[in-house]
Amino acid sequence: MTYQSSRAYACAAYRIMEYEGQEMSEEYFSILMEMLYKLYTESEIKKIHLDNVRLDSYETMLMKEK
């Protein structure tokens, strides 16, 4: 994984926590990172990061189930 990809995953997870108003904890961040790794490829997460898309963890988990 490249630096840009890992940064994109981390930024997307941080945006989720910020958008949801969650406390910034390592545990929640780890859960979000794992979820994002499973759902998005490196190219998809880079596009999400560059387009400043704000994800919601609940809606993202629903997408996973479909």
Side-chain angles (χ1 to χ4, degrees):
M1 177 179 305
T2 65
Y3 170 76
Q4 290 178 339
S5 297
S6 61
R7 182 176 174 198
Y9 279 110
C11 287
Y14 178 78
R15 282 188 197 146
I16 290 172
M17 290 192 303
E18 185 179 61
Y19 176 73
E20 294 177 345
Q22 293 289 332
E23 180 182 332
M24 302 297 174
S25 69
E26 286 185 46
E27 293 83 15
Y28 190 55
F29 183 77
S30 176
I31 291 167
L32 292 174
M33 289 290 287
E34 185 176 330
M35 178 182 66
L36 292 172
Y37 283 134
K38 289 180 182 178
L39 295 175
Y40 298 104
T41 64
E42 289 184 37
S43 60
E44 291 172 330
I45 202 70
K46 283 182 190 177
K47 182 158 177 45
I48 288 169
H49 173 64
L50 292 174
D51 292 345
N52 290 321
V53 174
R54 289 193 180 254
L55 300 172
D56 178 89
S57 63
Y58 181 71
E59 289 178 11
T60 304
M61 286 303 291
L62 288 178
M63 283 180 25
K64 179 181 174 186
E65 292 178 7
K66 291 180 183 180

